Amino acid sequence: MQPTLVAVAHGSRDPRAPHTALALLERVRELRPRLDVRLGHIELNRPLLGDALREARGAAVLVPLLLGRGTHVKRDLPAAAARAGHLRIRIAAPLGPHPLLVEALVERLLEAGWSPATAVVLAAAGSRDPDAAADTRRTAALLAERLGAVPVVPAYASGATPAVPDALRALAARGHHRPAVASYFAAPGRFSAACAAAAPGPAAAPLGDHPALARLVLRRYDEALARGAGGRRELATA
């Protein structure tokens, strides 16, 4: 029997966020119908991760619906796994950075009306963890490479610098007066809305249930299983 895939969303007061996560997991189930796929939230929404784990049996892989390394990936998920002593648990890497995320970012930008040669601010939530900032910078570099010599500046809604408005002003000083904002958020919420509102040009929607994200969720699940196949260690993070 395959281990249960437990997708771990952050949680949000925006009622659209849990619906977005559920829509993404429906795409995952369509790609792999026989796999037991469940959702757990770190906070704010039900089911909470602890409740989802209590209902699972046997083995599980936690796949964070998070876009980089940070406190939730490094501490909260291992702590939740340790409390679920009845399960054999592996923890997958966060979704980002990865080329499949870049694929989704490009499509969201195009949907918003982005045109070639238009600069982009990659708007992320932000974190005080330096690894999280490094992951966002890596995604910005991958996006710039994909868009073709277009300036792509990582910026943040909170917890890190530069803030999105500051990045937009810096681009304007370089002659880019209507840059686009790429929404580096898994789901709608307060931060993604604030970043979009600051955009002087096109503002892309959050990644949401983009098909590339569904493929990436399964990629992270398979990678976690492959890491554990050669040894006895059950709990592994990237």
mmCIF file of all heavy atoms in Angstrom, residues 164-211:
data_model
loop_
_atom_site.group_PDB
_atom_site.id
_atom_site.type_symbol
_atom_site.label_atom_id
_atom_site.label_comp_id
_atom_site.label_asym_id
_atom_site.label_seq_id
_atom_site.Cartn_x
_atom_site.Cartn_y
_atom_site.Cartn_z
ATOM 1 N N VAL A 164 7.792 45.034 -1.421
ATOM 2 C CA VAL A 164 7.334 45.131 -2.814
ATOM 3 C C VAL A 164 7.292 46.578 -3.303
ATOM 4 O O VAL A 164 7.814 46.880 -4.387
ATOM 5 C CB VAL A 164 5.971 44.431 -2.976
ATOM 6 C CG1 VAL A 164 5.346 44.738 -4.338
ATOM 7 C CG2 VAL A 164 6.146 42.918 -2.802
ATOM 8 N N PRO A 165 6.722 47.542 -2.570
ATOM 9 C CA PRO A 165 6.724 48.932 -3.067
ATOM 10 C C PRO A 165 8.131 49.473 -3.286
ATOM 11 O O PRO A 165 8.368 50.235 -4.234
ATOM 12 C CB PRO A 165 5.989 49.714 -1.969
ATOM 13 C CG PRO A 165 5.117 48.686 -1.303
ATOM 14 C CD PRO A 165 5.934 47.435 -1.320
ATOM 15 N N ASP A 166 9.080 49.093 -2.425
ATOM 16 C CA ASP A 166 10.461 49.560 -2.594
ATOM 17 C C ASP A 166 11.077 48.978 -3.863
ATOM 18 O O ASP A 166 11.805 49.680 -4.595
ATOM 19 C CB ASP A 166 11.305 49.169 -1.378
ATOM 20 C CG ASP A 166 10.875 49.894 -0.115
ATOM 21 O OD1 ASP A 166 10.277 50.987 -0.234
ATOM 22 O OD2 ASP A 166 11.132 49.361 0.988
ATOM 23 N N ALA A 167 10.807 47.724 -4.143
ATOM 24 C CA ALA A 167 11.331 47.110 -5.365
ATOM 25 C C ALA A 167 10.733 47.765 -6.604
ATOM 26 O O ALA A 167 11.431 47.986 -7.608
ATOM 27 C CB ALA A 167 11.039 45.610 -5.362
ATOM 28 N N LEU A 168 9.451 48.102 -6.536
ATOM 29 C CA LEU A 168 8.810 48.782 -7.665
ATOM 30 C C LEU A 168 9.431 50.163 -7.896
ATOM 31 O O LEU A 168 9.670 50.565 -9.048
ATOM 32 C CB LEU A 168 7.312 48.900 -7.419
ATOM 33 C CG LEU A 168 6.531 47.581 -7.457
ATOM 34 C CD1 LEU A 168 5.130 47.771 -6.886
ATOM 35 C CD2 LEU A 168 6.454 47.045 -8.882
ATOM 36 N N ARG A 169 9.705 50.894 -6.809
ATOM 37 C CA ARG A 169 10.336 52.209 -6.951
ATOM 38 C C ARG A 169 11.744 52.082 -7.515
ATOM 39 O O ARG A 169 12.168 52.904 -8.340
ATOM 40 C CB ARG A 169 10.357 52.925 -5.604
ATOM 41 C CG ARG A 169 9.003 53.516 -5.209
ATOM 42 C CD ARG A 169 9.130 54.447 -4.019
ATOM 43 N NE ARG A 169 9.398 53.703 -2.792
ATOM 44 C CZ ARG A 169 8.455 53.233 -1.982
ATOM 45 N NH1 ARG A 169 7.171 53.429 -2.286
ATOM 46 N NH2 ARG A 169 8.765 52.580 -0.884
ATOM 47 N N ALA A 170 12.466 51.064 -7.090
ATOM 48 C CA ALA A 170 13.825 50.865 -7.602
ATOM 49 C C ALA A 170 13.806 50.568 -9.096
ATOM 50 O O ALA A 170 14.649 51.061 -9.853
ATOM 51 C CB ALA A 170 14.509 49.738 -6.836
ATOM 52 N N LEU A 171 12.851 49.783 -9.546
ATOM 53 C CA LEU A 171 12.743 49.512 -10.976
ATOM 54 C C LEU A 171 12.350 50.772 -11.748
ATOM 55 O O LEU A 171 12.851 51.016 -12.855
ATOM 56 C CB LEU A 171 11.726 48.394 -11.221
ATOM 57 C CG LEU A 171 12.216 46.976 -10.958
ATOM 58 C CD1 LEU A 171 11.053 45.977 -11.017
ATOM 59 C CD2 LEU A 171 13.304 46.574 -11.964
ATOM 60 N N ALA A 172 11.449 51.576 -11.173
ATOM 61 C CA ALA A 172 11.061 52.824 -11.837
ATOM 62 C C ALA A 172 12.265 53.745 -12.008
ATOM 63 O O ALA A 172 12.406 54.421 -13.039
ATOM 64 C CB ALA A 172 9.961 53.519 -11.034
ATOM 65 N N ALA A 173 13.154 53.767 -11.008
ATOM 66 C CA ALA A 173 14.357 54.595 -11.105
ATOM 67 C C ALA A 173 15.280 54.124 -12.223
ATOM 68 O O ALA A 173 16.106 54.910 -12.724
ATOM 69 C CB ALA A 173 15.102 54.578 -9.772
ATOM 70 N N ARG A 174 15.128 52.857 -12.611
ATOM 71 C CA ARG A 174 15.927 52.307 -13.716
ATOM 72 C C ARG A 174 15.184 52.395 -15.047
ATOM 73 O O ARG A 174 15.622 51.841 -16.046
ATOM 74 C CB ARG A 174 16.284 50.852 -13.413
ATOM 75 C CG ARG A 174 17.216 50.684 -12.227
ATOM 76 C CD ARG A 174 17.196 49.264 -11.682
ATOM 77 N NE ARG A 174 17.484 48.253 -12.702
ATOM 78 C CZ ARG A 174 17.396 46.939 -12.477
ATOM 79 N NH1 ARG A 174 17.034 46.496 -11.268
ATOM 80 N NH2 ARG A 174 17.682 46.084 -13.437
ATOM 81 N N GLY A 175 14.027 53.071 -15.054
ATOM 82 C CA GLY A 175 13.305 53.252 -16.298
ATOM 83 C C GLY A 175 12.182 52.270 -16.542
ATOM 84 O O GLY A 175 11.526 52.326 -17.588
ATOM 85 N N HIS A 176 11.913 51.384 -15.587
ATOM 86 C CA HIS A 176 10.832 50.399 -15.728
ATOM 87 C C HIS A 176 9.632 50.920 -14.928
ATOM 88 O O HIS A 176 9.493 50.649 -13.732
ATOM 89 C CB HIS A 176 11.281 49.032 -15.210
ATOM 90 C CG HIS A 176 12.491 48.492 -15.908
ATOM 91 N ND1 HIS A 176 12.442 47.913 -17.155
ATOM 92 C CD2 HIS A 176 13.797 48.465 -15.527
ATOM 93 C CE1 HIS A 176 13.650 47.530 -17.519
ATOM 94 N NE2 HIS A 176 14.494 47.863 -16.554
ATOM 95 N N HIS A 177 8.751 51.672 -15.598
ATOM 96 C CA HIS A 177 7.703 52.390 -14.877
ATOM 97 C C HIS A 177 6.421 51.588 -14.692
ATOM 98 O O HIS A 177 5.587 51.956 -13.875
ATOM 99 C CB HIS A 177 7.400 53.707 -15.597
ATOM 100 C CG HIS A 177 8.564 54.644 -15.597
ATOM 101 N ND1 HIS A 177 9.003 55.299 -14.462
ATOM 102 C CD2 HIS A 177 9.412 55.003 -16.598
ATOM 103 C CE1 HIS A 177 10.054 56.037 -14.748
ATOM 104 N NE2 HIS A 177 10.334 55.886 -16.040
ATOM 105 N N ARG A 178 6.235 50.522 -15.441
ATOM 106 C CA ARG A 178 5.031 49.701 -15.278
ATOM 107 C C ARG A 178 5.409 48.214 -15.193
ATOM 108 O O ARG A 178 4.957 47.397 -16.012
ATOM 109 C CB ARG A 178 4.055 49.937 -16.427
ATOM 110 C CG ARG A 178 3.335 51.273 -16.333
ATOM 111 C CD ARG A 178 2.278 51.415 -17.429
ATOM 112 N NE ARG A 178 1.313 50.322 -17.421
ATOM 113 C CZ ARG A 178 0.270 50.244 -16.603
ATOM 114 N NH1 ARG A 178 0.078 51.176 -15.685
ATOM 115 N NH2 ARG A 178 -0.573 49.244 -16.690
ATOM 116 N N PRO A 179 6.235 47.864 -14.212
ATOM 117 C CA PRO A 179 6.593 46.451 -14.082
ATOM 118 C C PRO A 179 5.400 45.610 -13.644
ATOM 119 O O PRO A 179 4.441 46.112 -13.044
ATOM 120 C CB PRO A 179 7.683 46.465 -13.002
ATOM 121 C CG PRO A 179 7.442 47.712 -12.231
ATOM 122 C CD PRO A 179 6.875 48.703 -13.200
ATOM 123 N N ALA A 180 5.466 44.352 -13.960
ATOM 124 C CA ALA A 180 4.444 43.401 -13.525
ATOM 125 C C ALA A 180 4.813 42.840 -12.157
ATOM 126 O O ALA A 180 5.984 42.830 -11.763
ATOM 127 C CB ALA A 180 4.309 42.270 -14.544
ATOM 128 N N VAL A 181 3.809 42.366 -11.461
ATOM 129 C CA VAL A 181 4.026 41.668 -10.193
ATOM 130 C C VAL A 181 3.618 40.216 -10.374
ATOM 131 O O VAL A 181 2.473 39.922 -10.721
ATOM 132 C CB VAL A 181 3.223 42.320 -9.051
ATOM 133 C CG1 VAL A 181 3.272 41.444 -7.792
ATOM 134 C CG2 VAL A 181 3.784 43.701 -8.728
ATOM 135 N N ALA A 182 4.583 39.329 -10.185
ATOM 136 C CA ALA A 182 4.321 37.889 -10.201
ATOM 137 C C ALA A 182 4.030 37.449 -8.776
ATOM 138 O O ALA A 182 4.814 37.710 -7.857
ATOM 139 C CB ALA A 182 5.522 37.127 -10.757
ATOM 140 N N SER A 183 2.909 36.796 -8.581
ATOM 141 C CA SER A 183 2.452 36.424 -7.241
ATOM 142 C C SER A 183 3.045 35.082 -6.844
ATOM 143 O O SER A 183 2.588 34.026 -7.279
ATOM 144 C CB SER A 183 0.920 36.360 -7.223
ATOM 145 O OG SER A 183 0.452 36.110 -5.920
ATOM 146 N N TYR A 184 4.075 35.128 -5.999
ATOM 147 C CA TYR A 184 4.729 33.897 -5.546
ATOM 148 C C TYR A 184 4.057 33.427 -4.254
ATOM 149 O O TYR A 184 4.658 33.364 -3.183
ATOM 150 C CB TYR A 184 6.215 34.148 -5.344
ATOM 151 C CG TYR A 184 7.069 32.902 -5.313
ATOM 152 C CD1 TYR A 184 6.873 31.863 -6.209
ATOM 153 C CD2 TYR A 184 8.112 32.783 -4.393
ATOM 154 C CE1 TYR A 184 7.661 30.734 -6.182
ATOM 155 C CE2 TYR A 184 8.912 31.661 -4.369
ATOM 156 C CZ TYR A 184 8.681 30.643 -5.265
ATOM 157 O OH TYR A 184 9.476 29.507 -5.244
ATOM 158 N N PHE A 185 2.767 33.128 -4.393
ATOM 159 C CA PHE A 185 1.943 32.662 -3.288
ATOM 160 C C PHE A 185 1.169 31.447 -3.766
ATOM 161 O O PHE A 185 0.684 31.407 -4.898
ATOM 162 C CB PHE A 185 0.955 33.739 -2.836
ATOM 163 C CG PHE A 185 1.603 34.970 -2.262
ATOM 164 C CD1 PHE A 185 1.936 36.036 -3.084
ATOM 165 C CD2 PHE A 185 1.882 35.056 -0.909
ATOM 166 C CE1 PHE A 185 2.532 37.173 -2.577
ATOM 167 C CE2 PHE A 185 2.484 36.194 -0.375
ATOM 168 C CZ PHE A 185 2.814 37.255 -1.212
ATOM 169 N N ALA A 186 1.022 30.469 -2.899
ATOM 170 C CA ALA A 186 0.306 29.257 -3.280
ATOM 171 C C ALA A 186 -1.191 29.485 -3.372
ATOM 172 O O ALA A 186 -1.883 28.778 -4.113
ATOM 173 C CB ALA A 186 0.609 28.141 -2.280
ATOM 174 N N ALA A 187 -1.710 30.463 -2.634
ATOM 175 C CA ALA A 187 -3.157 30.670 -2.583
ATOM 176 C C ALA A 187 -3.451 32.142 -2.310
ATOM 177 O O ALA A 187 -2.580 32.883 -1.835
ATOM 178 C CB ALA A 187 -3.780 29.801 -1.490
ATOM 179 N N PRO A 188 -4.666 32.586 -2.581
ATOM 180 C CA PRO A 188 -5.031 33.977 -2.276
ATOM 181 C C PRO A 188 -4.976 34.245 -0.771
ATOM 182 O O PRO A 188 -5.175 33.346 0.050
ATOM 183 C CB PRO A 188 -6.475 34.081 -2.790
ATOM 184 C CG PRO A 188 -6.668 32.934 -3.705
ATOM 185 C CD PRO A 188 -5.771 31.845 -3.214
ATOM 186 N N GLY A 189 -4.729 35.490 -0.434
ATOM 187 C CA GLY A 189 -4.676 35.877 0.967
ATOM 188 C C GLY A 189 -4.353 37.356 1.091
ATOM 189 O O GLY A 189 -4.239 38.082 0.093
ATOM 190 N N ARG A 190 -4.196 37.803 2.324
ATOM 191 C CA ARG A 190 -3.960 39.230 2.582
ATOM 192 C C ARG A 190 -2.673 39.712 1.925
ATOM 193 O O ARG A 190 -2.628 40.779 1.308
ATOM 194 C CB ARG A 190 -3.902 39.466 4.095
ATOM 195 C CG ARG A 190 -3.593 40.899 4.509
ATOM 196 C CD ARG A 190 -3.817 41.073 5.996
ATOM 197 N NE ARG A 190 -2.974 40.178 6.785
ATOM 198 C CZ ARG A 190 -1.761 40.506 7.247
ATOM 199 N NH1 ARG A 190 -1.250 41.701 6.983
ATOM 200 N NH2 ARG A 190 -1.072 39.661 7.987
ATOM 201 N N PHE A 191 -1.602 38.932 2.036
ATOM 202 C CA PHE A 191 -0.326 39.357 1.474
ATOM 203 C C PHE A 191 -0.377 39.413 -0.054
ATOM 204 O O PHE A 191 0.112 40.362 -0.665
ATOM 205 C CB PHE A 191 0.789 38.427 1.929
ATOM 206 C CG PHE A 191 1.253 38.660 3.342
ATOM 207 C CD1 PHE A 191 2.012 37.708 4.011
ATOM 208 C CD2 PHE A 191 0.948 39.832 4.014
ATOM 209 C CE1 PHE A 191 2.445 37.916 5.305
ATOM 210 C CE2 PHE A 191 1.368 40.054 5.317
ATOM 211 C CZ PHE A 191 2.133 39.091 5.961
ATOM 212 N N SER A 192 -0.955 38.393 -0.657
ATOM 213 C CA SER A 192 -1.000 38.387 -2.123
ATOM 214 C C SER A 192 -1.850 39.541 -2.639
ATOM 215 O O SER A 192 -1.519 40.172 -3.649
ATOM 216 C CB SER A 192 -1.529 37.050 -2.640
ATOM 217 O OG SER A 192 -2.878 36.841 -2.256
ATOM 218 N N ALA A 193 -2.938 39.853 -1.940
ATOM 219 C CA ALA A 193 -3.792 40.966 -2.352
ATOM 220 C C ALA A 193 -3.065 42.299 -2.224
ATOM 221 O O ALA A 193 -3.171 43.171 -3.104
ATOM 222 C CB ALA A 193 -5.069 40.979 -1.521
ATOM 223 N N ALA A 194 -2.307 42.480 -1.150
ATOM 224 C CA ALA A 194 -1.577 43.736 -0.963
ATOM 225 C C ALA A 194 -0.503 43.910 -2.030
ATOM 226 O O ALA A 194 -0.298 45.019 -2.547
ATOM 227 C CB ALA A 194 -0.952 43.760 0.427
ATOM 228 N N CYS A 195 0.174 42.827 -2.375
ATOM 229 C CA CYS A 195 1.211 42.909 -3.410
ATOM 230 C C CYS A 195 0.595 43.245 -4.760
ATOM 231 O O CYS A 195 1.131 44.059 -5.519
ATOM 232 C CB CYS A 195 1.983 41.593 -3.480
ATOM 233 S SG CYS A 195 2.978 41.249 -2.013
ATOM 234 N N ALA A 196 -0.533 42.622 -5.074
ATOM 235 C CA ALA A 196 -1.197 42.903 -6.346
ATOM 236 C C ALA A 196 -1.666 44.353 -6.405
ATOM 237 O O ALA A 196 -1.581 45.007 -7.455
ATOM 238 C CB ALA A 196 -2.372 41.949 -6.536
ATOM 239 N N ALA A 197 -2.156 44.870 -5.285
ATOM 240 C CA ALA A 197 -2.659 46.244 -5.261
ATOM 241 C C ALA A 197 -1.544 47.262 -5.497
ATOM 242 O O ALA A 197 -1.807 48.375 -5.965
ATOM 243 C CB ALA A 197 -3.338 46.518 -3.924
ATOM 244 N N ALA A 198 -0.310 46.892 -5.177
ATOM 245 C CA ALA A 198 0.814 47.811 -5.356
ATOM 246 C C ALA A 198 1.316 47.864 -6.791
ATOM 247 O O ALA A 198 2.105 48.750 -7.141
ATOM 248 C CB ALA A 198 1.959 47.406 -4.433
ATOM 249 N N ALA A 199 0.883 46.940 -7.626
ATOM 250 C CA ALA A 199 1.429 46.816 -8.977
ATOM 251 C C ALA A 199 0.996 47.981 -9.859
ATOM 252 O O ALA A 199 -0.203 48.250 -9.991
ATOM 253 C CB ALA A 199 0.988 45.501 -9.596
ATOM 254 N N PRO A 200 1.935 48.679 -10.516
ATOM 255 C CA PRO A 200 1.562 49.715 -11.478
ATOM 256 C C PRO A 200 1.223 49.134 -12.842
ATOM 257 O O PRO A 200 0.655 49.820 -13.693
ATOM 258 C CB PRO A 200 2.827 50.576 -11.562
ATOM 259 C CG PRO A 200 3.929 49.622 -11.271
ATOM 260 C CD PRO A 200 3.386 48.613 -10.297
ATOM 261 N N GLY A 201 1.577 47.879 -13.051
ATOM 262 C CA GLY A 201 1.294 47.185 -14.298
ATOM 263 C C GLY A 201 0.512 45.920 -14.027
ATOM 264 O O GLY A 201 -0.237 45.842 -13.041
ATOM 265 N N PRO A 202 0.675 44.889 -14.855
ATOM 266 C CA PRO A 202 -0.073 43.643 -14.661
ATOM 267 C C PRO A 202 0.245 42.996 -13.313
ATOM 268 O O PRO A 202 1.394 42.996 -12.855
ATOM 269 C CB PRO A 202 0.410 42.756 -15.820
ATOM 270 C CG PRO A 202 0.963 43.710 -16.831
ATOM 271 C CD PRO A 202 1.515 44.859 -16.064
ATOM 272 N N ALA A 203 -0.768 42.444 -12.685
ATOM 273 C CA ALA A 203 -0.610 41.733 -11.411
ATOM 274 C C ALA A 203 -1.129 40.314 -11.598
ATOM 275 O O ALA A 203 -2.326 40.107 -11.827
ATOM 276 C CB ALA A 203 -1.362 42.436 -10.297
ATOM 277 N N ALA A 204 -0.240 39.345 -11.506
ATOM 278 C CA ALA A 204 -0.613 37.955 -11.737
ATOM 279 C C ALA A 204 -1.350 37.387 -10.534
ATOM 280 O O ALA A 204 -1.159 37.826 -9.390
ATOM 281 C CB ALA A 204 0.623 37.112 -12.029
ATOM 282 N N ALA A 205 -2.172 36.391 -10.807
ATOM 283 C CA ALA A 205 -2.876 35.677 -9.737
ATOM 284 C C ALA A 205 -1.907 34.746 -9.019
ATOM 285 O O ALA A 205 -0.853 34.368 -9.553
ATOM 286 C CB ALA A 205 -4.026 34.871 -10.335
ATOM 287 N N PRO A 206 -2.236 34.344 -7.784
ATOM 288 C CA PRO A 206 -1.426 33.331 -7.100
ATOM 289 C C PRO A 206 -1.359 32.028 -7.906
ATOM 290 O O PRO A 206 -2.161 31.799 -8.821
ATOM 291 C CB PRO A 206 -2.162 33.131 -5.774
ATOM 292 C CG PRO A 206 -2.913 34.397 -5.561
ATOM 293 C CD PRO A 206 -3.313 34.868 -6.929
ATOM 294 N N LEU A 207 -0.427 31.180 -7.555
ATOM 295 C CA LEU A 207 -0.197 29.941 -8.299
ATOM 296 C C LEU A 207 -1.416 29.031 -8.259
ATOM 297 O O LEU A 207 -1.744 28.366 -9.236
ATOM 298 C CB LEU A 207 1.036 29.237 -7.728
ATOM 299 C CG LEU A 207 2.329 30.051 -7.868
ATOM 300 C CD1 LEU A 207 3.424 29.454 -6.998
ATOM 301 C CD2 LEU A 207 2.768 30.126 -9.316
ATOM 302 N N GLY A 208 -2.078 28.954 -7.116
ATOM 303 C CA GLY A 208 -3.357 28.254 -7.007
ATOM 304 C C GLY A 208 -3.300 26.791 -7.397
ATOM 305 O O GLY A 208 -2.421 26.052 -6.962
ATOM 306 N N ASP A 209 -4.253 26.393 -8.239
ATOM 307 C CA ASP A 209 -4.335 24.986 -8.624
ATOM 308 C C ASP A 209 -3.769 24.763 -10.027
ATOM 309 O O ASP A 209 -4.249 23.915 -10.780
ATOM 310 C CB ASP A 209 -5.783 24.486 -8.549
ATOM 311 C CG ASP A 209 -6.699 25.181 -9.546
ATOM 312 O OD1 ASP A 209 -6.338 26.296 -10.006
ATOM 313 O OD2 ASP A 209 -7.762 24.632 -9.875
ATOM 314 N N HIS A 210 -2.754 25.527 -10.371
ATOM 315 C CA HIS A 210 -2.128 25.358 -11.682
ATOM 316 C C HIS A 210 -1.674 23.910 -11.875
ATOM 317 O O HIS A 210 -1.135 23.298 -10.953
ATOM 318 C CB HIS A 210 -0.930 26.301 -11.813
ATOM 319 C CG HIS A 210 -0.409 26.413 -13.209
ATOM 320 N ND1 HIS A 210 0.371 25.440 -13.780
ATOM 321 C CD2 HIS A 210 -0.579 27.371 -14.163
ATOM 322 C CE1 HIS A 210 0.688 25.793 -15.008
ATOM 323 N NE2 HIS A 210 0.119 26.948 -15.265
ATOM 324 N N PRO A 211 -1.890 23.331 -13.049
ATOM 325 C CA PRO A 211 -1.524 21.925 -13.265
ATOM 326 C C PRO A 211 -0.058 21.613 -12.990
ATOM 327 O O PRO A 211 0.275 20.503 -12.548
ATOM 328 C CB PRO A 211 -1.861 21.697 -14.746
ATOM 329 C CG PRO A 211 -2.923 22.697 -15.050
ATOM 330 C CD PRO A 211 -2.613 23.894 -14.209
#
